[in-house]
Amino acid sequence: QKEVEQNSGPLSVPEGAIASLNCTYSDRGSQSFFWYRQYSGKSPELIMSIYSNGDKEDGRFTAQLNKASQYVSLLIRDSQPSDSATYLCAVNRNTDKLIFGTGTRLQVFP
Amino acid sequence: DTGVSQNPRHKITKRGQNVTFRCDPISEHNRLYWYRQTLGQGPEFLTYFQNEAQLEKSRLLSDRFSAERPKGSFSTLEIQRTEQGDSAMYLCASSANRGDYGYTFGSGTRLTVV
């Protein structure tokens, strides 16, 4: 079992729709959770962090964390073609390093 | 401060040659990380430094790989006797705190071994 699992996609949504990206993790001791966006050929960019159960909103992005079920999700409202990218889920187990999933490729079509 | 800087951006080398990459972290960040990413995969942890001390190395980091951060500022990652399987994007990241606050990546060095 991988430590951080994501569906590789692609997830295709029409412009203006809500994109829902999911991530599960295996270590119950995980403390911090992150979503990175990575455009093709570029490096990952941190877009959201979440540390406690519940929802955290930042503009069109909402991160959701459920530690009991060991999943993290990212919702993107009013999806735009410019949101088309790979979204990486990363988890920290109260150490110095992040463990990344393989990423979910999102395609937003006009 | 312009963020995390990596050089070169691209490197093409012949199999068996040695290569060295450089990373300059954000100046006030004391933690520096190296990751490797291949196509369709997420970044895989290689090693990290707190100041000049190398605190953890992944088993992915074979004997052909060595990393240094001699004065706690920039870091170098050297690959000796490169193999085609070393072809990947090598990412450097830095943080001011432990990883539980996330970190900032550089633009990466894309290595192609022919």
Side-chain angles (χ1 to χ4, degrees), chain A residues 34-83:
Chain A
F34 306 91
W35 286 98
Y36 283 79
R37 178 176 61 199
Q38 186 173 29
Y39 292 113
S40 181
K42 303 295 185 182
S43 62
E45 173 193 10
L46 180 64
I47 55 172
M48 288 289 286
S49 58
I50 187 165
Y51 305 98
S52 55
N53 282 329
D55 295 0
K56 179 182 177 182
E57 187 174 321
D58 184 0
R60 294 186 298 112
F61 298 100
T62 299
Q64 299 175 318
L65 173 61
N66 184 323
K67 289 187 177 181
S69 300
Q70 295 176 246
Y71 83 77
V72 195
S73 63
L74 179 70
L75 302 178
I76 306 175
R77 289 182 300 281
D78 188 24
S79 295
Q80 301 297 309
S82 59
D83 294 325

Side-chain angles (χ1 to χ4, degrees), chain B:
Chain B
D1 187 4
T2 56
V4 180
S5 176
Q6 290 189 248
N7 287 289
R9 293 292 302 275
H10 303 276
K11 178 71 177 178
I12 300 174
T13 191
K14 292 183 178 180
R15 188 177 51 174
Q17 298 295 304
N18 299 342
V19 294
T20 300
F21 311 140
R22 175 176 170 131
C23 172
D24 288 87
I26 294 171
S27 57
E28 62 268 27
H29 286 183
N30 62 1
R31 287 172 169 83
L32 185 149
Y33 310 82
W34 285 100
Y35 280 75
R36 179 174 70 186
Q37 187 176 26
T38 54
L39 197 62
Q41 301 297 312
E44 295 175 297
F45 172 78
L46 293 178
T47 188
Y48 90 96
F49 295 83
Q50 182 175 335
N51 299 313
E52 66 275 10
Q54 188 174 19
L55 297 186
E56 186 174 348
K57 292 169 59 174
S58 164
R59 60 181 181 275
L60 293 175
L61 216 65
S62 75
D63 292 345
R64 298 184 297 106
F65 288 71
S66 62
E68 294 183 340
R69 194 182 182 197
K71 296 183 179 180
S73 56
F74 73 91
S75 175
T76 58
L77 177 67
E78 181 183 18
I79 309 174
Q80 296 182 326
R81 305 182 302 281
T82 52
E83 302 173 354
Q84 286 189 322
D86 296 331
S87 296
M89 173 80 88
Y90 289 83
L91 294 163
C92 176
S94 69
S95 71
N97 300 295
R98 291 192 331 186
D100 50 355
Y101 293 101
Y103 31 74
T104 303
F105 281 96
S107 300
T109 294
R110 181 165 296 283
L111 173 67
T112 303
V113 182
V114 297

